[in-house]
Amino acid sequence: MMLIGVIADDFTGASDIANTLAKGVAPEGGLRTAQFPGIPTAAVSPEIEAGVISLKSRSAPVKEAVSESLDALKWLLDQGCQQIIFKYCSTFDSTPAGNIGPVADALADALNVSGVVVCPAFPGTGRTIYQGHLFVGDVLLNESGMQNHPLTPMTDPDIRRCLGRQTHHDVAHVALATVAQGGAPLRSAFEQETSRYVVADAVSDADLLRLGEALSSAKLITGGSGIALGLPRNMIRAGAKGAASGVLTNVTGPEAILAGSCSGATRGQVDQHALDHPTLAIDVEAVMRGEMGEETLVAFYDAHMGQAPLAYSSGTPDAVRAVQQKFGREAVAARLDRLFAETARQLVQKGYQRIVVAGGETSGAVAQAIAETLGAPAMVVGAEIDPGVPVLTLGNDTPVALALKSGNFGAPDFFVKALRAMEGQV
């Protein structure tokens, strides 16, 4: 029976938390976890103990994001979930109008809960919260490059203020000193809280494990994937079977890499990959004028099969702003999503079996297109490539291996590492 249900606001975040739940911590390990591209229409296999629904609600209109999240909640509750996690990015990507606050409000109302933890911390990738402020490495969020995000620029590192602009409910804070006590003092801090939300400090995995233990009976939890670190242990100690994680895949078919993220990390990874692999820079203006389409990308991949070819639309913040101002932000995003989705669909139809994707919106478009093409909605979580990014597989006879990478995640050589992991070379 499914015990933990996750509503993720994008596909890379869904992979991230699915990896966390499947891996767990020693000695207990993780839960048998499946990731779903969108809300399933049928009941889940009884062997699945944690289910992650991948939505594209991070940048959707608020009403749409709320409606989809409530539909996902209903399906998860119907599967027997005892605990719901609303998973958003570890950089709290949202605008003053939403979507984190409105979705959290709707879920909390539906579950009739208060004292809901808010913790996007993920120390393994450098995201920490101290005194309610979100850090990326050793700098505040608004100095990390996220202030230049093309869709959700983050200009305030105070999570209390960020969330406070998105909800009419009170936002409280549990400081690191309380979190460090763990046990009864920390549990009591949440149980006695009358505010709707509580931002919790966390600067290490040990803090996340303390939070996980204190939240063992919480009906609703919100945060980045790190907040799920200790939750499988709670369930296994309570009788869940659990399962070994990190199962290696063995997919060796043709490969393609698609990068739609404009983050500094992804741009660096593209530059590193281009040193000894074929790359294609997508001319976004040409795409918007109808002069460049999926046939160009597919021809590029076919011409360089076996060489780890990479096509990318990643650009500098100034270049991205210029294109958005000329054609409109939403129009550019939608057209690139269609380009990457249709390219992926055609590649899978031609027999490509290893697909690496960078960027949340790009990953969502690609994963949905591939799932629809294969008719295989459940994605099996495999070995971890880099922190927060597992190998996912779809299909049975000729499986397709996917890696869905958030823009800021991964080592400089991530793309090559991902393709090797798909072949079982982790």
Side-chain angles (χ1 to χ4, degrees), residues 70-416:
L70 288 174
D71 288 344
L73 173 65
K74 182 181 184 305
W75 186 84
L76 291 169
L77 293 177
D78 287 344
Q79 310 313 304
C81 288
Q82 302 170 14
Q83 194 163 60
I84 301 296
I85 306 171
F86 170 35
K87 196 278 176 194
Y88 40 78
C89 187
S90 59
T91 47
F92 208 75
D93 298 13
S94 54
T95 69
N99 289 350
I100 293 175
V103 170
D105 281 347
L107 297 175
D109 287 342
L111 294 169
N112 191 28
V113 293
S114 62
V116 177
V117 72
V118 176
C119 186
F122 191 0
T125 57
R127 278 67 161 172
T128 57
I129 302 176
Y130 179 66
Q131 299 291 21
H133 287 63
L134 182 55
F135 287 79
V136 178
D138 61 353
V139 301
L140 288 164
L141 175 65
N142 60 315
E143 301 172 1
S144 67
M146 282 300 299
Q147 69 271 29
N148 298 315
H149 193 287
L151 297 178
T152 53
M154 300 305 296
T155 58
D156 188 347
D158 190 326
I159 299 303
R160 297 162 295 185
R161 285 197 300 255
C162 287
L163 182 56
R165 287 190 283 267
Q166 301 176 24
T167 178
H168 63 274
H169 293 284
D170 292 339
V171 182
H173 175 231
V174 170
L176 186 63
T178 302
V179 173
Q181 293 180 60
L186 182 55
R187 186 185 301 273
S188 177
F190 289 115
E191 292 176 348
Q192 295 179 15
E193 184 56 61
T194 59
S195 298
R196 167 62 68 87
Y197 300 110
V198 186
V199 176
D201 285 354
V203 300
S204 67
D205 284 353
D207 294 329
L208 294 174
L209 291 174
R210 294 184 189 102
L211 286 167
E213 183 176 3
L215 296 167
S216 61
S217 60
K219 291 183 180 179
L220 176 64
I221 298 170
T222 83
S225 65
I227 196 61
L229 188 63
L231 301 182
R233 182 168 66 181
N234 295 335
M235 296 297 180
I236 292 171
R237 288 176 176 176
K241 292 182 179 179
S245 63
V247 177
L248 298 180
T249 57
N250 184 24
V251 178
T252 59
E255 76 289 350
I257 306 167
L258 303 92
S261 168
C262 297
S263 74
T266 295
R267 296 200 311 273
Q269 290 158 347
V270 169
D271 291 343
Q272 175 75 20
H273 195 78
L275 295 176
D276 45 16
H277 298 89
T279 58
L280 172 67
I282 296 171
D283 185 337
V284 180
E285 290 201 29
V287 173
M288 297 304 295
R289 293 193 299 265
E291 299 168 358
M292 183 179 190
E294 52 272 8
E295 65 282 350
T296 302
L297 272 67
V298 173
F300 164 74
Y301 289 119
D302 284 347
H304 298 284
M305 188 180 297
Q307 299 174 284
L310 161 67
Y312 64 96
S313 64
S314 309
T316 65
D318 288 343
V320 171
R321 276 193 294 269
V323 174
Q324 289 178 336
Q325 289 172 358
K326 186 171 185 178
F327 296 100
R329 186 181 71 177
E330 290 78 11
V332 171
R335 183 64 189 92
L336 288 176
D337 278 358
R338 289 198 300 275
L339 172 67
F340 284 119
E342 186 54 35
T343 298
R345 191 188 314 276
Q346 292 188 24
L347 290 175
V348 170
Q349 289 172 342
K350 290 169 68 72
Y352 281 70
Q353 290 182 266
R354 291 181 293 154
I355 311 290
V356 182
V357 193
E361 296 299 314
T362 306
S363 291
V366 168
Q368 285 182 321
I370 293 175
E372 291 170 0
T373 302
L374 296 178
M379 297 184 282
V380 179
V381 181
E384 186 176 47
I385 303 165
D386 272 332
V389 192
V391 175
L392 303 170
T393 54
L394 298 85
N396 297 314
D397 296 335
T398 54
V400 171
L402 277 175
L404 308 178
K405 184 193 84 73
S406 177
N408 287 304
F409 282 18
D413 61 345
F414 174 82
F415 297 131
V416 170

